[in-house]
Amino acid sequence: AASRYGELRVRVGDEVCTFPVSAEPGLIGECGGWTFEAADFYSNFTVGGDPNPDGPLLNPMLKLAITSPDGEIGELVFRFVTGR
């Protein structure tokens, strides 16, 4: 399904998975035994700002919670480019 926010593509070993990005907290998808969840989405990220998925996509940023197959949890924060 298409998403206003684009797609998340991950590679785990030899497996490549593509998921629609969600601005709502929760499960985005699973790939190679790893779980990827949306934690926060900012349509226009600023330091100290609050998540705001509904604004114009000026400086979009997604924070992911990532869980490994053995249950370890980490976070990844990345900014992305829209309109490609």
Side-chain angles (χ1 to χ4, degrees):
S3 168
R4 170 182 185 231
Y5 308 105
E7 297 179 330
L8 172 68
R9 184 174 300 152
V10 297
R11 179 185 304 270
V12 178
D14 293 332
E15 188 172 354
V16 177
C17 303
T18 303
F19 312 108
V21 172
S22 174
E24 296 297 319
L27 182 67
I28 291 178
E30 297 180 15
C31 187
W34 293 70
T35 302
F36 301 87
E37 296 184 43
D40 289 315
F41 183 89
Y42 299 77
S43 61
N44 187 19
F45 176 75
T46 58
V47 175
D50 292 324
N52 176 12
D54 298 322
L57 299 176
L58 300 175
N59 187 25
M61 194 274 297
L62 175 67
K63 181 165 83 171
L64 290 175
I66 303 171
T67 305
S68 71
D70 62 3
E72 289 188 47
I73 299 173
E75 288 184 342
L76 175 65
V77 176
F78 66 96
R79 182 184 169 276
F80 57 98
V81 178
T82 60
R84 287 190 179 207

